[in-house]
Structure formats: C-alpha cells, structure tokens
Amino acid sequence: MPSQSSIISLFQDKPIGQNVTIRGWVRTFRNDQFISVNDGSTIRQLQIVIRPEELDEATHKRIQTGTCISASGILDKSLGKGQDIELNCNRLEILGDCDPQEYPIQMKRHSLEFLREKAHLRFRTNTFAAVFRIRHHLQFAIHKYFNENGFFNLHAPIITGSDAEGAGEMFRVTTLDATNPPLDENGFADFRQDFFGKPSNLTVSGQLEAELAALALGKVYTFGPTFRAENSNTSRHLAEFWMIEPEVAFNDIHDNMDLAEDFLKYCLRHALTYCREDLEFLQEREINEDKQKPAEERQTKPLIERLQFITEQSFERITYTEAIDILLNSAHYKKKKFKFPVEWGIDLQSEHERYLVEKHFGKPVIITGYPAAIKAFYMRLNEDGKTVAAMDILVPGIGEIIGGSQREERYDMLRAKCAQFHVAEESIWWYLETRKFGTCVHAGFGLGFERLVMYVTGMTNIRDVIPFPRTPGNAEF
RNA sequence: UCCCUAGUAGCUCAGUCGGUUAGAGCACAUGACUGUUAAUCAUGGGGUCGCUGGUUCGAGCCCAGCCUGGGGAGCCA
C-alpha cells in the first residue's frame, strides 16, 4: 500500500502516473463520479475520479459532503477544466460517515454568524481553514522575526498576583468555595486562605515581567494569552486573546517606532510570501461580500494590494499635538462632522483616529507624545512635563493595532507617577527595584495578535480569527 | 454598559393594510442523466413565525417585558 500523500504535496510535485493515497473530507460529489476532497493542507481540492460502475450502491450513498474518505489510485492529468491533476481512484474507503440530514455545513455560502455557532465544524470551510492557516504562519513569522533579531522569548506568567497594571478588569483565580468562602475579620472573603495566600488573577499583560527580563537579557518578547474581564461587546475585543510584547533595553521611543514598523512589515511580507493562495481566496471572498454592501462601506483596494501597500510605505509619524492641529484645521471639523469635541488633552476617539488614518494620511500613522494624564503610569515623562513618550500605531480599517512607550526608568519619577495614579508601591515593589538597581532607558510595545490576523485576512470580526472566541456570555466549545 | 437593528423551513431570505390552508431559492429524499466544477432536470417531504404576557372577533404582522445575533459607541490590544 502506498503511503499517504498530502494534497498540497501532490499539487506541488505532480507525481503523474504514480499510485498515491490521500485522506480527507468530501466537499462535493458531482455527477456521481467526481469527488472533490480537501485535507486541510491547502485551500485547493483534489478531484477524485471514480467509475460509476465500480461503485456499489451502498458506498455511493455514503459519499456525502463532510464524509471522511481514503482514496488510492493513479495520479493523472485532468481531463476537466477546473484543475490540472486528478486521482483515478481504484480503491475507495469510507473512514467516517457524515449524515447529510444532520450535517450543518453545506457546499454553499454560509453566514459567518451562523458558522460562529458551529465553531467545532467551521474549520471545514474554505474561509476558516484559510484564516487559521494564515494565523499559524503569522505566529511563526513573529517568532522568526524576533529570533533573527536577537530577541529571547519570555514566558510571562498567566496567573499573576499583581493587579496594578491598570489595563482593565481582571479575572479572579481562586480555589475558594464561591458559595461559602472563609471570611476575614471584616466579613470579606479571606484570600489568605486561598491557593496562593493572596488574591490572584489572570494576566492582562506580560509587559511588566518583560521589562524585568529586558533589564538583564537586553531584548525579549512575550507571546502569550491575556485576559480582560471587560464587558465589551465589539467586533474588535475578546476576553481571551494573544498578545506580543517586545521589550528592549537601551531603546528610546524612536528606536521603538523603528522596531514596530519593521516588525509589522516583516509579518505582512511573510504572509504575502507563504500564504499566497489563502490570501487570494480571502481577497476573492471579500470582493464578493463587498458587492452586497453600499459603496461607502466597500474596500477601496483588494486585500493583497492593501498589504503590499503597507509594506512599501513608510509610516507617518506625528505627535499628539500635531494630530490635534490636523483635526482642528480639517474641513471635517469645521463642518462639525465630529461627534466628540476636539481639544488638546482629550483622548482621541475612534472617529478621530479613523479620520487621520483613512482620510488625512491614507496610510499607517504613528502618534507619539500623548498627554501624561490619559496614559499609563509607567510611560516616560517628556521634558515638557506634560506629555509622555507613548506611541500608538493606527492602521486603516482596524484603528489601533500597536500601543507602546518608552518606559519611565527614573526611580523618583516612577514613584511620583505611582502616587499620582494611585498605584500602591508595595504591590509592584519588584518592578520599582529594577529602577533602583542599574536602571536604564528601555522601551517596548504590545500588539494584539488577533488584530494582526484580522488585518492580514481582511476579516472584520475578531471572533472569526481565533478558533474558539471567548466573549461576555460566551465560552462554548 | 449605552444607542441602532434583526430573529419566519437545516441555510439565506420574502411575507402588502391585522383576515381564511405560511412562501421562494438552496439543502435534503426519490427518479432521470453521466467528464462534472457549489453538475443539471423532474417530483416530493419539511414550520412551536425567538420566548412570555397583552390588545383584538381574529396576530408572523400591533403593544410591553425578556432572550439571542449583528452594527456602532465607550474601554482597549
């Protein structure tokens, strides 16, 4: 018996005339003799040709959309038009039946909303298989980029005893009996008796831990799951998502911007090189979906062109103050088209960011120098005393994809910021000690992995780029 | 959490002014055909109109509450 081949290897090597075996899932069974099979190795289907007279009636009925089969035979040039090779089957085995009365995935267009409710089966559609192959390649590209550039990967803890990061609501981790916890002298749950002897949570960011490592290893990055218990119900937020957080000793805010831009472009180039067919499929899909939409909601450029465009452009770099000026001088503002007010000191709203990126510049924008009051306590205070060395990278379509900063490395300044932001020093004494013992300039940023996958695949809902999305009220599968 | 919007067959949707027996395409079943490309053609089965309550002689349609999905906002990555 010949060993099993992946369908992608058959398309690549084209071993015409050889006896091969493939295993996969039936997509369609046409004309009682053509079985279109996908094995996940590629977006493409292999056509299995079987002579009707060689197929007994019982087996014939078991070949349905979704059936798992093994097919052996001679690989040949295809007589049909849709493909260049096909498998002339001389041995067909049903590995797993699929009852068409019950199987919800049909060989037709399904809405993404419907497939979201079938998350266990949606991998079997072209769209999701393409998305998750691309997700894999992007993950690989990220590790590759950092490895090639001298970074060390750091596994930040998933369970943390610190709640000082201020990045959002946290999930409590406890082994206490929720219905009958031990109580302390004030009548509250007594976490001294909990597993860790103190309250603990799922991490909202690995940044603080990454900083500790960077101040010894030089260049590090984390790439792990993070958790936010925010009740945010949008197409861009998850309760569980994956984040990449590089942190580099001796980098200032400008080095940080250079790194982020180079890194982002590297990831896009990697996807363009290694995910070509999947991207072409998703591009085609997007074009078809856009036909149903009003003109103003359609993409102005096809997916691949958009990605290429980003890799070729240098990102626009402006300060927060300049951004406010651009907004104030815009015709959009003068016609009172912004819903929210614009003035120095405000946090930029989605509509402001979208105007800057999509209307004014038409390419990615890095904004730096935000007012200290609207950014986190650990960001380095600039010489003007009122702005911090923060940076946000905004991209068309997604908005903020990266947020980062040069960190406050000055011990006294950081303590002052802690007091200002009501961060208890005793809760992050270990973080403060790095500033006491051989501190140095350093900077880093965070990239939401799913936002990157959205950007590359053109998917518009974050729930469609993570295999099993966790959102408020939904932890099925 | 707030605003908008939707929920009718397995899927995608139509359903007029509140009126008699609930509509289509696809899917599925049966048959025909056999080099097809989401094959084609014919025939057929398939409904708790999201849930609860209300208005009415009569509700898929009107009203109230709730549930679920989608879009937007806030928060953020």
Side-chain angles (χ1 to χ4, degrees):
Chain A
M1 178 182 158
S3 65
Q4 182 189 334
S5 306
S6 69
I7 288 176
I8 191 164
S9 71
L10 296 181
F11 279 118
Q12 280 166 353
D13 306 338
K14 294 192 176 50
I16 302 292
Q18 283 183 32
N19 199 21
V20 297
T21 296
I22 61 106
R23 291 176 197 167
W25 293 267
V26 174
R27 286 295 174 79
T28 61
F29 184 23
R30 295 184 293 265
N31 224 350
D32 294 344
Q33 45 182 323
F34 304 105
I35 309 170
S36 175
V37 177
N38 185 281
D39 72 352
S41 63
T42 165
I43 190 90
R44 292 151 86 175
Q45 270 69 244
L46 183 67
Q47 173 157 289
I48 311 296
V49 185
I50 187 148
R51 296 288 145 213
E53 59 273 17
E54 288 171 21
L55 197 58
D56 63 275
E57 199 180 338
T59 309
H60 182 283
K61 285 204 168 148
R62 294 171 69 191
I63 303 169
Q64 302 284 352
T65 297
T67 299
C68 186
I69 64 166
S70 169
S72 306
I74 306 293
L75 196 76
D76 206 349
K77 282 186 180 160
S78 179
L79 301 173
K81 283 193 182 122
Q83 58 284 315
D84 56 352
I85 53 170
E86 61 190 18
L87 183 69
N88 278 308
C89 185
N90 54 35
R91 211 175 74 91
L92 181 79
E93 195 185 339
I94 307 286
L95 302 178
D97 284 292
C98 188
D99 183 349
Q101 301 273 23
E102 290 182 60
Y103 188 54
I105 312 296
Q106 301 164 4
M107 200 52 212
K108 58 171 263 191
R109 184 196 168 274
H110 283 104
S111 69
L112 297 174
E113 294 81 13
F114 170 71
L115 292 169
R116 231 168 268 156
E117 290 167 9
K118 315 279 178 212
H120 57 312
L121 298 172
R122 66 178 180 169
F123 298 103
R124 301 190 187 191
T125 65
N126 285 333
T127 299
F128 284 98
V131 166
F132 293 123
R133 276 190 296 266
I134 292 171
R135 186 180 164 108
H136 158 80
H137 282 290
L138 281 172
Q139 177 190 223
F140 192 77
I142 288 163
H143 285 299
K144 192 160 171 265
Y145 175 85
F146 287 124
N147 186 56
E148 285 170 1
N149 285 281
F151 283 71
F152 299 107
N153 180 228
L154 182 81
H155 290 155
I158 290 167
I159 299 172
T160 168
S162 116
D163 60 354
E165 287 142 44
E169 290 296 310
M170 304 180 92
F171 287 101
R172 173 62 45 83
V173 175
T174 181
T175 54
L176 296 181
D177 181 353
T179 56
N180 184 28
L183 301 179
D184 64 14
E185 46 282 9
N186 297 315
F188 296 112
D190 186 4
F191 288 102
R192 288 169 303 192
Q193 296 184 49
D194 202 352
F195 189 88
F196 296 108
K198 60 183 273 196
S200 57
N201 301 289
L202 294 179
T203 183
V204 293
S205 162
Q207 181 203 312
L208 300 190
E209 290 87 351
E211 282 188 53
L212 311 183
L215 266 56
L217 297 167
K219 296 169 162 187
V220 301
Y221 71 105
T222 70
F223 188 166
T226 45
F227 308 87
R228 305 273 167 95
E230 301 283 351
N231 186 16
S232 60
N233 253 296
T234 82
S235 54
R236 300 182 309 283
H237 292 86
L238 291 164
E240 176 184 296
F241 64 101
W242 289 69
M243 192 150 65
I244 298 106
E245 295 176 291
E247 195 70 37
V248 184
F250 315 115
N251 264 14
D252 66 13
I253 188 72
H254 301 287
D255 303 320
N256 206 30
M257 285 191 270
D258 292 343
L259 174 66
E261 182 171 341
D262 187 54
F263 164 68
L264 215 52
K265 287 175 173 173
Y266 180 94
C267 292
L268 299 195
R269 277 196 299 270
H270 185 94
L272 284 166
T273 306
Y274 294 98
C275 310
R276 200 72 195 191
E277 288 188 336
D278 286 329
L279 286 172
E280 280 165 3
F281 173 83
L282 291 171
Q283 171 169 280
E284 216 35 52
R285 181 188 176 281
E286 184 183 81
I287 288 167
N288 286 326
E289 291 292 307
D290 271 8
K291 284 177 188 163
Q292 320 289 324
K293 292 182 185 169
E296 67 271 16
E297 286 174 29
R298 291 180 199 165
Q299 291 290 347
T300 48
K301 288 191 203 106
L303 179 62
I304 291 173
E305 215 175 294
R306 291 207 301 277
L307 299 177
Q308 253 150 8
F309 177 77
I310 302 298
T311 65
E312 290 157 5
Q313 293 290 318
S314 60
F315 295 4
E316 196 68 38
R317 298 183 185 192
I318 59 169
T319 64
Y320 169 88
T321 304
E322 286 164 344
I324 293 289
D325 283 343
I326 289 168
L327 292 171
L328 286 174
N329 288 316
S330 68
H332 207 78
Y333 176 77
K334 286 169 184 161
K335 289 182 195 157
K336 300 194 190 305
K337 283 197 183 163
F338 288 122
K339 217 173 135 197
F340 289 87
V342 179
E343 60 176 316
W344 202 96
I346 58 147
D347 206 353
L348 295 177
Q349 302 291 323
S350 295
E351 59 171 355
H352 303 143
E353 295 180 345
R354 204 171 310 131
Y355 176 84
L356 289 168
V357 174
E358 287 162 19
K359 295 259 160 56
H360 189 83
F361 290 111
K363 62 174 178 175
V365 179
I366 312 181
I367 303 179
T368 53
Y370 283 85
I374 60 170
K375 288 288 180 183
F377 77 97
Y378 50 72
M379 298 188 178
R380 191 181 197 279
L381 193 66
N382 287 328
E383 302 312 315
D384 61 16
K386 56 180 190 174
T387 62
V388 287
M391 64 169 210
D392 282 356
I393 301 188
L394 313 176
V395 293
I398 304 279
E400 184 183 340
I401 194 167
I402 283 179
S405 69
Q406 184 175 332
R407 317 307 188 188
E408 184 55 79
E409 85 283 9
R410 297 162 295 187
Y411 185 54
D412 293 340
M413 288 292 234
L414 188 56
R415 290 184 64 193
K417 284 295 273 298
C418 283
Q420 233 176 310
F421 282 75
H422 307 293
V423 175
E425 286 192 26
E426 55 273 24
S427 69
I428 51 161
W429 60 272
W430 40 272
Y431 184 70
L432 293 168
E433 278 201 353
T434 56
R435 273 57 170 176
K436 209 160 100 183
F437 304 130
T439 191
C440 72
V441 164
H442 63 288
F445 61 84
L447 166 73
F449 183 52
E450 283 75 17
R451 297 232 175 129
L452 177 67
V453 182
M454 282 173 83
Y455 194 67
V456 172
T457 58
M459 301 298 280
T460 52
N461 192 312
I462 201 164
R463 295 161 198 213
D464 296 330
V465 300
I466 189 166
F468 303 103
R470 298 287 176 257
T471 52
N474 195 346
E476 193 64 52
F477 306 105

